[in-house]
Amino acid sequence: MKTKATLIATVSLLATAAAAQDKSLTIASWGGSYQDAQSMALFEPAAEATGIDVSQETYGGMADVRLQVSTGAVTLDIVASGSGSAARAGAEGLLEELDYDVIDVSNFYPTLYSPYCVGGDVFSTVYAWNTDTYGEDGPQSWADFWDVEKFPGTRAYRGSVAGALEPALLADGVPPEEVYEVLSSEEGIERALDKIRELKPHIEVFWSSGAQHAQLMKDGEVDMTTGWNGRFDNAAKDGGAVMYSFNEALLDYDCFAIPKGAPNLDVAMEFLAEISKPEYQDDLPKYITYGPTNKLAYDTGEITDEVAAGLPSSPENAAMQLPISLEWYAEWETIAAEMYAEMLTE
C-alpha cells in the first residue's frame, strides 16, 4: 500500500511531467534551405532536449511582428531576424528585452547580441554570378557588379533596404570605413539610390527572400545577384552554376528575438538559452555555410578547419568585409526604407 509521502511524490512527478508537456512555443523564420538548416541543427534537437513542443512557421519579417504587436494579437514567441531589422524593431518597442541571466552569451563574440536579439549565425551579403555565363572569373568587387560593359547580363537585387545601400556606395567609390558616415543623411541615401537607379535597367528581379534569390541562380534566370552566401552554397550543392566572392561583402548576423507580448515568454527565453549553446551551433554549418555566434562551437571538434575556412566569420574572410552597423539601422532604416520603396516604384 502506498504511503502518503509516496502519493505526494507521485503527484508531484506527474505535475512536473504535465508542466513539461504544457511547454510550447511558436517560432517563425524565413523558410527555404535556411529554415531547414535551423530546424535540423537547432530547433528539433533543442525541442527534444527540453521537452518543449515547438511549432514552426514562415513569416515576412518584422512587418508581421509590427502588425501583431499593434493589434494585440501576438501569436509568435520567437522570430528569426536580420540584426538591423531587430535593432530598429527594438527601438520601436516591438520586442521583449532579453534576459542574459538566462541566456548565456559569455562566449559570444561581443558584437553578435543586443538587448533585444541574440545572434544565431553569422552570414555575408555577397555578389554571386552564373558560372555558365562568366566562368570562374566573375566579378570581384561591387564596381564589377555594376559594370555592365565588362560583365554584360541580367542582375537581381534586393527588394528591401537592408544590405542594399552599402553595395551601391562601395560601387560608387566610397571607402568602406566611410560608407555609414555617407549614409547618415538623406543626401547620402539618395546618392546610393542614384547608383541603384543607374543599374536598374539591367535588374530583372528585385528579390524578396533568400529562397527566391537562390532559386534565381539555381535556375539560371539571371546572370548575377546579391544575396546570402549560405543560400548560394546550397544552390551549388543542388547543381546550380553559381559562385560568389567575400571581397567587399557585408558581414552580418541573424538573430532571434521575442515579440512584445509573446504568449510564452518564459518558455521562449528558456529555448533561446538552449539553442545558444555550442553543441547546437556547431551543427549549423553541416546544413548551411553560416558561422556560429558562440565561439565555443569552434572547439567541439564538429567544425573542421576546412569548413571553418569557408565560413563568413573566419578571420581571413571577415577581414575582406564591411561589418553591418546596427547603430545606423536603428537610426536610419525607417527613412531609408521609405526612400527605397519610392525608388522601386519609379
Side-chain angles (χ1 to χ4, degrees):
M1 189 172 75
K2 290 183 179 180
T3 65
K4 184 176 181 181
T6 304
L7 286 171
I8 292 172
T10 302
V11 170
S12 177
L13 285 171
L14 289 172
T16 301
Q21 288 175 352
D22 286 344
K23 286 185 177 181
S24 63
L25 56 80
T26 301
I27 297 179
S29 188
W30 299 305
S33 59
Y34 178 66
Q35 188 162 348
D36 289 343
Q38 289 179 311
S39 184
M40 290 183 284
L42 307 176
F43 303 158
E44 293 175 18
E48 184 175 353
T50 60
I52 296 171
D53 183 15
V54 176
S55 299
Q56 293 188 47
E57 296 182 6
T58 58
Y59 86 134
M62 283 299 170
D64 291 358
V65 173
R66 186 176 290 107
L67 179 62
Q68 289 198 5
V69 173
S70 65
T71 59
V74 180
T75 62
L76 302 176
D77 297 297
I78 296 173
V79 295
S81 174
S83 58
S85 296
R88 182 60 198 160
E92 284 184 48
L94 300 178
L95 302 176
E96 297 282 354
E97 195 159 343
L98 298 184
D99 186 350
Y100 288 115
D101 289 332
V102 175
I103 305 166
D104 181 7
V105 292
S106 59
N107 292 298
F108 273 48
Y109 292 96
T111 56
L112 300 183
Y113 62 92
S114 71
Y116 299 100
C117 210
V118 60
D121 61 80
V122 182
F123 71 97
S124 298
T125 297
V126 300
Y127 44 86
W129 67 89
N130 187 322
T131 55
D132 286 342
T133 306
Y134 307 111
E136 295 188 2
D137 299 321
Q140 294 301 310
S141 67
W142 289 111
D144 282 350
F145 187 89
W146 254 260
D147 193 337
V148 295
E149 292 186 5
K150 185 178 178 182
F151 295 100
T154 57
R155 271 68 164 165
Y157 206 79
R158 185 149 198 195
S160 58
V161 77
L165 300 180
E166 299 95 331
L169 288 186
L170 290 167
D172 206 34
V174 176
E177 64 273 15
E178 296 178 15
V179 164
Y180 287 109
E181 180 183 343
V182 173
L183 284 176
S184 295
S185 68
E186 291 193 23
E187 292 78 15
I189 294 169
E190 194 64 34
R191 177 179 173 179
L193 294 176
D194 283 341
K195 192 66 177 176
I196 297 170
R197 289 184 182 100
E198 179 186 309
L199 189 63
K200 201 174 178 184
H202 305 275
I203 299 175
E204 292 285 318
V205 179
F206 281 95
W207 56 265
S208 59
S209 72
Q212 183 185 14
H213 73 59
Q215 196 67 40
L216 287 170
M217 293 307 288
K218 186 177 174 182
D219 294 343
E221 289 189 30
V222 294
D223 298 304
M224 291 188 200
T225 184
T226 62
W228 303 316
N229 70 288
R231 298 281 193 160
F232 295 131
D233 284 328
N234 281 359
K237 287 178 186 176
D238 290 341
V242 57
M243 291 185 69
Y244 63 85
S245 171
F246 282 116
N247 188 47
E248 293 189 347
L250 309 181
L251 187 64
D252 201 352
Y253 71 98
D254 289 315
C255 56
F256 295 109
I258 300 176
K260 194 79 172 177
N264 300 291
L265 175 60
D266 292 341
V267 179
M269 210 75 72
E270 176 188 344
F271 196 74
L272 290 183
E274 189 71 15
I275 62 177
S276 296
K277 294 177 180 177
E279 58 263 35
Y280 299 98
Q281 289 211 357
D282 64 5
D283 280 340
L284 194 65
K286 296 176 183 177
Y287 306 107
I288 195 163
T289 46
Y290 294 154
T293 51
N294 189 323
K295 290 182 284 187
L296 294 184
Y298 284 106
D299 299 332
T300 65
E302 290 293 317
I303 301 174
T304 65
D305 290 343
E306 182 182 2
V307 170
L311 297 178
S313 53
S314 73
E316 182 180 341
N317 293 332
M320 294 189 283
Q321 301 179 63
L322 172 66
I324 288 289
S325 169
L326 294 189
E327 292 78 15
W328 183 87
Y329 277 94
E331 183 176 354
W332 285 97
E333 185 181 24
T334 299
I335 293 170
E338 291 174 359
M339 295 172 67
Y340 196 77
E342 290 177 11
M343 181 273 297
L344 290 177
T345 61
E346 292 172 355

